[in-house]
Amino acid sequence: MADLIIVIGVAGSGKTTLAQAIAKHCNLTFLDADDFHSAEAKAHMASGQPLTDTMRVPWIERIASSLTSLAQRNESAALAFSGLKQRHREPLRHCGLTPHFLFLSGDQRLIAERMSAREGHFMPPALLDSQFKSLEEPDPSREPDVTVLDITPPPEELLQQAIAAIKGSNR
């Protein structure tokens, strides 16, 4: 089993749901990258403005620092993290844990419907367009540690696909 399972994708793709399920199934520490955002960043997004890459840097640094601490304690984790660009994903590859990324790929309309149905989240559905514009889908030739998963199956089926992908990566 990989030391670090990172579920990536745009807002509303199901990252948190899948990462929590993987953490429970594999007895891993669960981390949600949203918990590492500053209050200012959350307010910025809640106001309908996307974060810039410059604004994301300290957020990614806080996540990487937490992962490094886990590695020092020899703990494995499942992380829900947008990871929209390769340069956002890259620092997490160097934290002392062996990463396996699961990219949740899906139709923007379906994701928008899911976002509209959820309550109490700081990320408004209006920012979904900016998420898709920023997204650099992983290229397997440059990022061989990424598995692409389609988001349309029910959560339990998606979990089974994720577990199979993780096990397959450790042969």
Side-chain angles (χ1 to χ4, degrees), residues 26-153:
C26 299
N27 196 30
L28 304 174
T29 298
F30 168 72
L31 299 172
D32 190 333
D34 286 348
D35 295 337
F36 293 85
H37 279 300
S38 66
E40 295 81 16
K42 286 183 178 181
H44 187 82
M45 289 182 281
S47 75
Q49 300 174 70
L51 296 180
T52 64
D53 281 341
T54 302
M55 296 168 85
R56 287 185 177 102
V57 170
W59 171 61
I60 294 168
E61 289 173 346
R62 285 190 293 274
I63 296 166
S65 176
S66 181
L67 294 174
T68 299
S69 294
L70 285 174
Q72 290 168 347
R73 295 191 308 267
N74 201 28
E75 290 183 42
S76 297
L79 169 68
F81 172 65
S82 55
L84 297 177
K85 297 181 179 182
Q86 183 177 0
R87 68 176 164 264
H88 301 160
R89 300 184 287 268
E90 197 60 33
L92 305 188
R93 291 184 166 99
H94 307 285
C95 296
L97 297 168
T98 303
H100 186 108
F101 291 83
L102 300 171
F103 171 57
L104 297 182
S105 178
D107 177 72
Q108 186 170 348
R109 186 177 39 214
L110 172 61
I111 294 171
E113 288 171 12
R114 289 180 178 183
M115 285 182 77
S116 295
R118 69 184 184 184
E119 295 178 9
H121 198 279
F122 65 87
M123 176 71 86
L127 286 182
L128 186 58
D129 282 343
S130 71
Q131 292 260 299
F132 271 95
K133 285 178 186 167
S134 293
L135 178 63
E136 293 174 2
E137 292 195 17
D139 176 349
S141 68
R142 291 188 325 205
E143 296 183 274
D145 57 357
V146 180
T147 299
V148 178
L149 297 174
D150 185 307
I151 66 165
T152 53

Side-chain angles (χ1 to χ4, degrees), residues 7-25:
V7 183
I8 62 174
V10 298
S13 61
K15 298 179 301 288
T16 300
T17 300
L18 183 58
Q20 285 176 328
I22 290 169
K24 183 176 179 182
H25 184 312

